[in-house]
Amino acid sequence: MASVKLSDIISKYEDSNSGEFSEWLDKLELVAKLQKITDLESFLPLFLAGPAFAVYKQLPESDKEDYGKLKAALLTAFGINCYTAYDELQKRVLRDGEPVDVYLADIKRSDFCRCDYLLQ
């Protein structure tokens, strides 16, 4: 069986202007799960580059050692803020010929669904 490099499965995140950080992070977590990697706070920085790695380096050690804090800090830095996500959600309409399942999946995948305080 041919071996697969992790870099063939997931690319490094460096484009802080892409607005796709949360989707990239979901993919990284899936790769880690499939590879049975549980030390995500050590795994994640290996896939950061450029501005994303610079932000990681300046975080306090307590944030770097706790995956929940690390994830929250990086989502704050690179994720779409909840108000922008809400604005995008309001503009998202079912396109001609688009299956409802695809439309619903796109809405569920949006950063708005991560904004718990706006959903209450």
Side-chain angles (χ1 to χ4, degrees):
M1 180 176 194
S3 66
V4 177
K5 294 188 294 186
L6 292 177
S7 60
D8 291 340
I9 301 171
I10 185 138
S11 61
K12 289 191 175 209
Y13 183 84
E14 61 181 311
D15 186 4
S16 59
N17 296 318
S18 73
E20 298 293 331
F21 181 74
S22 62
E23 184 175 335
W24 175 86
L25 189 57
D26 288 343
K27 289 177 184 176
L28 183 84
E29 290 173 347
L30 180 58
V31 168
K33 182 178 178 182
L34 291 171
Q35 296 296 315
K36 296 180 176 44
I37 296 168
T38 57
D39 188 15
L40 287 170
E41 59 274 3
S42 296
F43 182 68
L44 186 149
L46 300 173
F47 291 90
L48 298 177
F53 190 70
V55 168
Y56 169 80
K57 286 192 325 186
Q58 62 84 32
L59 292 174
E61 286 302 315
S62 60
D63 287 1
K64 292 178 185 178
E65 295 169 357
D66 179 320
Y67 183 69
K69 289 180 182 179
L70 175 59
K71 181 177 178 176
L74 292 173
L75 281 169
T76 298
F78 299 111
I80 295 173
N81 73 48
C82 293
Y83 297 103
T84 301
Y86 179 71
D87 187 48
E88 289 178 5
L89 178 68
Q90 286 185 311
K91 293 176 184 173
R92 179 64 168 96
V93 295
L94 182 66
R95 298 177 187 108
D96 287 339
E98 179 180 32
V100 174
D101 294 354
V102 173
Y103 173 71
L104 182 59
D106 193 35
I107 289 173
K108 286 181 176 180
R109 189 186 71 220
S110 76
D111 285 319
F112 179 72
C113 292
R114 298 175 193 271
C115 299
D116 295 336
Y117 64 91
L118 290 176
L119 296 173
Q120 297 175 353

